[in-house]
Amino acid sequence: MTIEVERAPREAPRRRYVGSRQKKLKGDLFVRGKARYVADIELPGMLHAAVLRSPHAHAHVKSVDVSRALEISDVVAAVSGEDARELTGPVPHFIDPAVFGGKTAEVRCLAVEKVVYAGQPVAAVVAASRNDAEAALDAIAVEYEPLEVGLEPAAGTQGGTLLYEGWEDNTIIHIPFVEGDVEAAFAEAEHTLEDEVRIQRYTTAPIETRGYVADWDTSAESLTFYGACQNPHPLRWVLSHALGLPEGKIRIVAPHVGGGFGLKMHGHPEEALVCMLSRMLERPVRWIEDRRETFLIGGREQTHTFKVAFDDEGRITGLRNNIVANVGALGAPPGWGMAFLTALSFPTGYRIPNQDVQVSIVATNKGPWNASRGYGKEATNLVMERIVDLVAQKLRMAPAEVRRRNFINKDEFPYKTNAGLNIDSGDYHGALDKALAMMGYDDLRAEQERLRAEGRYLGIGLAFELTPEGGDIPGTLVAGFDTTTVKMDPQGKVTVLTGVTTPGGGNETGIAQIVADEVGVSLEDVTVIQGDTGLCPYGFGNYSGRSMLVGGGSAALAARDIREKLAKVAAAMLETEPENLEFGEGVISRRDNPDASLPTETVAYSVLTLAFATAAMVEPTLESTRVYKPDNITHIPDEKGRIQPYPSYSSAVHLAVVEVDAETGVVDLKRFGVVHDCGTIINPTFVEGQMQGAVAMGVGAALSEELIYDDEGNLLTDRFKTYLMPRAGDLPSFEMEHQVTPSPFTLLGAKGAGEAGVGGSQAAVANAVNDALAPLGVTLRQMPLSPPNVLRAIREAAEKGGVS
Amino acid sequence: MHQEDIVIVTLKVNGVERPLAVEPRRLLCDALREDLGLTGTNLGCEQGVCGSCTVLVDGESVRSCLMFAVQAGGCEITTVEGLASGETLHPLQAAFWEKQALQCGFCTPGFLMAGVELLRRNPEPDEAGVRAALAGNTCRCTGYEHIVDAVLAAADGAARERTFAEEPEVDVAAEVVAREGR
């Protein structure tokens, strides 16, 4: 492991913690089984809810009769969609397509009149126990009138069976990203190729399912909502709208969250439903999702049909790509927006002057999407990397060389892409060289030659990955800034209240490291509180690799305010100037005379107790709330109408080595390496952990994970025995190095980590499998590269007569 | 709950006899979590596949979502809450924290129990052995890398403990904790 020394940031304190491998704060809670997740919350008098779901993917709901369920002892309530309509309003969209000129549809917590996917909630039961509630669902009679089911985007994305009244077709929105003279690029091209990549529907599947506890306080007429959620404040806005309750009457608490990856961004019907039931019954109500329900939420299903123009030297001069995304039914979570960002992110870190990238985002009778780690950008990386490898294959040129010739050079940053993204910094050539050296690329190729002579199919796959991070989507509560309060008590201990949340990645520890350095206390003296709208300043939670970037940035700003006050008071007490002070671990001393020092506690105590004497020059209380808005985001359209929604762009180079068994279609991942650049690193262990987890997710996406529906729209892969995620034995030990090119646009130089890795690893594995099977003339177009898909591709290649 | 169905069963959980009145359909995981308040055992799938709810029953790892409480009558059950000795973490717990073998922590109790069983059966496993032994548990955050590291580190620590066993004053578990600055 090597970490390059980064440039000294402006006016930063001497760093003790930032950049070091600190252990997770309160990690003992987790290993002792003391962490409290939503399913661990027990409130006095709490009831349990279960949800009846539609067995039809598309149907009119003629009637719902809950009367027999209500007759069952232990059942407290049973409600239909009609009942719920009286008690709640629609669930507002996290990102309403209408904001961008698309179509929208009303989403309610329980379906009214019509269902548009199998699994859509139609009724709910509340009972004394979860068992009783689930059993009573059978007693609810629902009469459906089935309608024609459409599971694939209709040809030309027009027509087909219409999901929503008032829509002329099922296309939610169509967005073009066109730049340069594409016609000319293709007319003048020395070479062209066309091909296709079909990405399966898959999902994030955190090990903790969703779950909510709503607790209505009858006397205060207020609601406390405990939920496995990523965005407490924006969720409060949603529930306020749905319930018709002022935001001040709603408190959202995210306890420990057992993984998110986007799935726990809000808009799910059960959020408002559980609150409605609690208010109706004036008792706490808990709903814990079961695993089958978790799998109803999908993501990522897209088909890319592309044409590429390039010259003899391997330089790509033009790209056409027609993307069709099957986003299922339109839900209120921010799922559909992923496909928007897939198109926006082309052509990643390559200089391609002419492009015509179009995306059609189409609703079908599959379950709705929610955000999934990578948020659509993973698909861009997969497809771009397949394109580059196809170019290399056609020219019989080394894949690394084609990348080198098309990469943005490190002296070209900031670099504006065709879609208007302003990439902050990077060194893609450097990262590529590092990755090749780390993995011993030339030796791998020699090994491949040797094994091919034995009839074995070793494949080596490279992938570059660019991940726009820290995004801000205008007109939505997807914000690119965040807020932190830092306060120091009279004993010199620090409490940090932050608007960012953690689903486990460790940002609380990173934020504490930043604050401890800024105010000069030891890490143990910093407590971080997050995920509670009753305590924390308004913030936006967890998405888009933003927690260190803006959570850390705002924490640093607030901590600097505290430091400034401490410095003024300490300077008076030590008879010197603030500039002459050094902040250590709980000690403030004179630079010119380190023996002249004071415990930070003494200074903090003095701020409150000598407010009219020694500390008169500062406003008392050591507390500051600050917002950090990174540079580089701009929502004022440029001359071409483009906006720039991201402050930073992390990058990575992945390399996968696989062996494919051409008899069985089984792919064995033998080695995997990645060089990752997320700018300034706050805690290398956590960055590595995030990347390792993302790589595993990408390997699963590449090889095995798929949500498969039958022809009627029922989900077949609704459990871990059929939805196949990598286990420890399926993966090699990952090889990893860091590269650090700090972002010039963020306070700490950090670029965000956590989202990156899925698309890069998926692409590296896909390129490796294609490389392995190249001697058979195979090109794999359908993801995942599961044994059936691999065997089908081998068979099709054989039918065509092998190598073309 | 229907009174006529109630069964009295006594489980010995983390060394303490715990009599329970449960329905026959009560799952062991629900009895542990809801009747005994031991919520460290987490439920990830309730289908016996993810391994999060793994506990030890008479020393053997068991998915507590696939066993009824009444089947565990008279058995010794160890949950994640029973691994530490008071303030002193079990060496595998200490290693999980030290190596950042957890992120969200939800699958962690199951991995710890599977890891404890592995190290009892094979005190000196190699990496492939650890990966194979943990293949019954799913983690979505870590990619398993740091989990494997932690199990191997705990095995190393235990091997050192055996080497120095003749020096009674050396408390290796305390050393592990001290090394981690707790």
Side-chain angles (χ1 to χ4, degrees):
Chain A
M1 185 70 56
T2 56
I3 305 224
E4 289 189 355
V5 177
E6 66 210 44
R7 293 199 303 266
R10 52 207 174 216
E11 342 158 16
R14 194 148 62 84
R15 288 178 168 182
R16 292 174 174 79
Y17 295 112
V18 168
S20 70
R21 295 179 181 275
Q22 299 297 323
K23 292 198 302 182
K24 188 179 180 77
L25 286 186
K26 299 186 193 161
D28 53 338
L29 287 183
F30 295 90
V31 297
R32 286 176 183 272
K34 301 289 185 203
R36 195 163 74 140
Y37 301 92
V38 67
D40 303 337
I41 293 173
E42 278 281 345
L43 298 176
M46 188 171 75
L47 298 168
H48 300 262
V51 177
L52 182 69
R53 294 173 185 279
S54 168
H56 299 284
H58 197 192
H60 285 302
V61 180
K62 306 294 285 181
S63 67
V64 179
D65 181 1
V66 299
S67 57
R68 278 187 49 239
L70 286 168
E71 289 165 12
I72 300 171
S73 67
D74 296 328
V75 168
V76 180
V79 292
S80 67
E82 296 286 350
D83 299 332
R85 184 161 62 175
E86 301 299 310
L87 297 166
T88 58
V91 180
H93 289 269
F94 201 136
I95 305 174
D96 195 330
V99 169
F100 301 91
K103 303 190 190 83
T104 193
E106 187 179 272
V107 177
R108 289 192 167 267
C109 64
L110 295 176
V112 180
E113 294 171 1
K114 196 179 175 194
V115 290
V116 286
Y117 63 95
Q120 185 171 356
V122 291
V125 168
V126 182
S129 74
R130 187 178 171 193
N131 289 347
D132 290 330
E134 289 182 357
L137 295 178
D138 288 344
I140 298 175
V142 185
E143 190 188 345
Y144 296 96
E145 179 189 312
L147 298 165
E148 188 189 347
V149 173
L151 299 176
E152 297 300 327
T157 72
Q158 300 293 311
T161 176
L162 283 178
L163 266 70
Y164 300 105
E165 205 169 308
W167 288 30
E168 69 274 16
D169 59 42
N170 289 323
T171 301
I172 295 168
I173 193 167
H174 178 97
I175 309 164
F177 294 92
V178 183
E179 182 68 18
D181 190 341
V182 185
E183 293 288 338
F186 277 85
E188 294 160 11
E190 288 167 347
H191 304 275
T192 62
L193 66 80
E194 53 184 282
D195 218 309
E196 187 175 80
V197 174
R198 298 186 294 273
I199 303 169
Q200 79 278 25
R201 181 181 168 105
Y202 61 105
T203 188
T204 49
I207 305 303
E208 180 199 41
T209 61
R210 293 182 298 127
Y212 312 117
V213 177
D215 184 15
W216 176 256
D217 182 327
T218 310
S219 69
E221 296 189 315
S222 68
L223 182 77
T224 302
F225 176 91
Y226 304 88
C229 66
Q230 294 178 223
N231 319 92
H233 279 99
L235 172 56
R236 189 179 70 177
W237 175 84
V238 166
L239 292 179
S240 168
H241 278 275
L243 300 167
L245 200 60
E247 289 195 48
K249 292 278 192 185
I250 303 174
R251 178 183 176 194
I252 310 285
V253 181
H256 290 121
V257 174
F261 316 115
L263 182 89
K264 291 168 185 171
M265 295 183 83
H266 51 259
H268 297 286
E270 299 86 356
E271 295 154 353
L273 175 67
V274 173
C275 296
M276 179 198 89
L277 294 169
S278 177
R279 181 168 64 176
M280 182 179 102
L281 297 169
E282 301 188 342
R283 288 180 62 183
V285 174
R286 180 166 90 187
W287 172 76
I288 303 298
E289 185 181 52
D290 71 25
R291 183 51 63 181
R292 296 183 69 191
E293 293 172 312
T294 313
F295 279 121
L296 292 171
I297 298 146
R300 312 189 195 258
E301 183 176 355
Q302 306 180 353
T303 296
H304 293 240
T305 309
F306 49 82
K307 294 181 181 171
V308 190
F310 50 104
D311 66 18
D312 286 331
E313 305 296 311
R315 288 190 187 82
I316 301 173
T317 53
L319 171 65
R320 291 183 198 274
N321 186 7
N322 182 34
I323 308 167
V324 179
N326 179 346
V327 299
L330 184 59
W336 72 272
M338 287 193 284
F340 181 173
L341 296 186
T342 300
L344 175 74
S345 301
F346 275 94
T348 72
Y350 299 102
R351 281 181 282 106
I352 299 178
N354 309 293
Q355 75 164 44
D356 181 346
V357 174
Q358 312 253 348
V359 61
S360 293
I361 299 176
V362 186
T364 68
N365 292 120
K366 292 185 179 179
W369 280 16
N370 199 356
S372 312
R373 186 187 215 166
Y375 204 71
K377 299 164 280 189
E378 79 293 338
T380 322
N381 285 303
L382 170 65
V383 174
M384 256 334 288
E385 295 308 303
R386 285 297 303 135
I387 287 171
V388 174
D389 261 29
L390 288 166
V391 169
Q393 191 180 25
K394 182 119 181 205
L395 294 174
R396 300 184 188 280
M397 194 179 276
E401 190 53 34
V402 178
R403 286 177 172 79
R404 276 192 199 100
R405 291 180 184 187
N406 289 284
F407 274 154
I408 301 161
N409 289 312
K410 66 178 176 184
D411 57 6
E412 290 179 283
F413 295 109
Y415 180 94
K416 198 152 195 171
T417 71
N418 295 327
L421 302 181
N422 197 43
I423 303 177
D424 48 352
S425 64
D427 179 1
Y428 307 157
H429 295 85
L432 175 63
D433 290 342
K434 264 190 172 181
L436 298 178
M438 175 177 78
M439 299 294 282
Y441 186 78
D442 293 339
D443 294 343
L444 284 171
R445 285 290 176 203
E447 173 76 355
Q448 181 181 42
E449 277 305 302
R450 198 178 62 73
L451 290 176
R452 274 186 183 167
E454 294 176 13
R456 290 170 62 183
Y457 299 97
L458 192 78
I460 303 156
L462 263 178
F464 170 78
E465 179 179 39
L466 182 77
T467 308
E469 306 217 71
D472 185 305
I473 304 180
T476 72
L477 289 175
V478 180
F481 58 91
D482 219 291
T483 320
T484 302
T485 300
V486 175
K487 32 188 183 183
M488 181 177 279
D489 65 31
Q491 296 183 63
K493 311 282 194 240
V494 178
T495 301
V496 181
L497 299 139
T498 173
V500 299
T501 56
T502 179
N507 65 49
E508 73 294 327
T509 309
I511 289 169
Q513 288 175 248
I514 291 166
V515 170
D517 276 350
E518 294 285 350
V519 300
V521 297
S522 71
L523 193 58
E524 298 84 77
D525 289 340
V526 181
T527 300
V528 178
I529 295 172
Q530 54 193 152
D532 186 339
T533 62
L535 298 173
C536 299
Y538 201 100
F540 299 87
N542 166 258
Y543 52 85
S544 200
R546 66 196 299 280
S547 300
M548 276 305 109
L549 220 153
V550 291
S554 55
L557 291 177
R560 285 174 194 178
D561 289 347
I562 306 301
R563 179 193 179 93
E564 195 179 319
K565 281 191 190 180
L566 288 172
K568 283 181 183 164
V569 176
M573 294 170 84
L574 292 168
E575 297 177 334
T576 185
E577 298 304 312
E579 298 73 33
N580 188 33
L581 293 174
E582 180 83 11
F583 284 64
E585 295 210 4
V587 177
I588 303 170
S589 53
R590 283 177 62 149
R591 281 181 208 270
D592 61 351
N593 177 14
D595 291 339
S597 68
L598 286 167
T600 305
E601 178 181 355
T602 305
V603 183
Y605 187 72
S606 300
V607 171
L608 297 182
T609 58
L610 299 173
F612 296 95
T614 313
M617 77 291 281
V618 299
E619 188 180 297
T621 84
L622 292 166
E623 179 169 336
S624 174
T625 298
R626 292 292 294 273
V627 171
Y628 175 57
K629 282 175 77 179
D631 295 340
N632 201 26
I633 294 178
T634 171
H635 289 332
I636 298 163
D638 68 7
E639 70 286 356
K640 292 172 177 166
R642 306 174 302 188
I643 62 166
Q644 206 311 91
Y646 291 97
S648 81
Y649 296 79
S650 77
S651 58
V653 174
H654 301 251
L655 202 156
V657 183
V658 303
E659 184 168 1
V660 184
D661 183 331
E663 298 286 315
T664 63
V666 171
V667 177
D668 178 20
L669 179 63
K670 301 181 86 70
R671 284 180 68 195
F672 195 94
V674 54
V675 173
H676 183 217
D677 185 345
C678 62
T680 305
I681 296 172
I682 311 299
N683 185 324
T685 305
F686 292 163
V687 168
E688 289 154 17
Q690 291 272 304
M691 179 50 84
Q692 288 155 357
V695 166
M697 201 175 264
V699 171
L703 296 180
S704 58
E705 294 182 29
E706 184 171 15
L707 293 169
I708 300 170
Y709 284 78
D710 69 13
D711 292 343
E712 275 85 49
N714 299 299
L715 180 63
L716 299 176
T717 51
D718 61 354
R719 56 196 66 202
F720 285 136
K721 283 205 169 180
T722 47
Y723 187 88
L724 302 175
M725 311 200 305
R727 304 281 178 129
D730 301 324
L731 298 169
S733 182
F734 301 134
E735 295 154 78
M736 195 181 298
E737 285 186 24
H738 297 279
Q739 177 177 266
V740 178
T741 61
S743 174
F745 300 125
T746 67
L747 187 69
L748 304 163
K751 290 181 178 172
E755 241 196 327
V758 176
S761 57
Q762 191 185 9
V765 171
N767 281 341
V769 175
N770 275 283
D771 181 55
L773 296 176
L776 300 177
V778 169
T779 299
L780 290 143
R781 300 182 173 89
Q782 176 66 56
M783 303 296 290
L785 307 178
S786 57
N789 286 339
V790 169
L791 288 176
R792 190 176 305 118
I794 291 173
R795 195 171 58 239
E796 284 168 6
E799 284 163 6
K800 275 193 197 161
V803 183
S804 53
Chain B
M1 195 185 288
H2 305 285
Q3 289 303 317
E4 63 271 26
D5 295 335
I6 297 301
V7 177
I8 304 296
V9 61
T10 298
L11 313 181
K12 191 169 185 185
V13 183
N14 300 328
V16 180
E17 301 261 347
R18 305 294 295 265
L20 285 175
V22 293
E23 288 180 277
R25 69 174 178 177
R26 191 68 158 168
L27 295 170
L28 176 59
C29 58
D30 291 337
L32 292 169
R33 289 176 48 81
E34 293 176 29
D35 301 330
L36 299 178
L38 295 170
T39 55
T41 299
N42 293 325
L43 306 182
C45 71
E46 299 175 274
Q47 297 164 337
V49 194
C50 78
S52 291
C53 67
T54 303
V55 299
L56 300 183
V57 176
D58 291 338
E60 304 284 320
S61 66
V62 158
R63 289 160 200 258
S64 60
C65 75
L66 288 189
M67 190 172 187
F68 294 112
V70 293
Q71 290 175 284
C75 296
E76 295 234 15
I77 294 161
T78 309
T79 69
V80 68
E81 289 92 344
L83 287 180
S85 310
E87 286 298 297
T88 306
L89 294 177
H90 183 285
L92 190 60
Q93 290 176 308
F96 262 61
W97 190 9
E98 182 69 32
K99 297 286 180 187
Q100 174 68 2
L102 62 100
Q103 288 184 30
C104 80
F106 197 80
C107 69
T108 305
F111 271 97
L112 286 168
M113 304 319 289
V116 166
E117 184 192 43
L118 163 67
L119 293 178
R120 183 174 54 73
R121 290 187 173 171
N122 178 6
E124 294 178 36
D126 60 8
E127 189 200 321
V130 173
R131 286 184 181 271
L134 298 181
N137 293 64
T138 307
C139 171
R140 197 58 159 166
C141 295
T142 65
Y144 306 100
E145 185 85 16
H146 291 165
I147 294 175
V148 174
D149 290 349
V151 176
L152 291 171
D156 278 353
R160 277 200 304 280
E161 184 176 15
R162 284 190 297 280
T163 307
F164 296 107
E166 62 273 24
E167 297 175 46
E169 67 273 25
V170 176
D171 179 347
V172 172
E175 259 190 4
V176 168
V177 172
R179 196 170 61 236
E180 283 147 19
R182 285 199 69 250

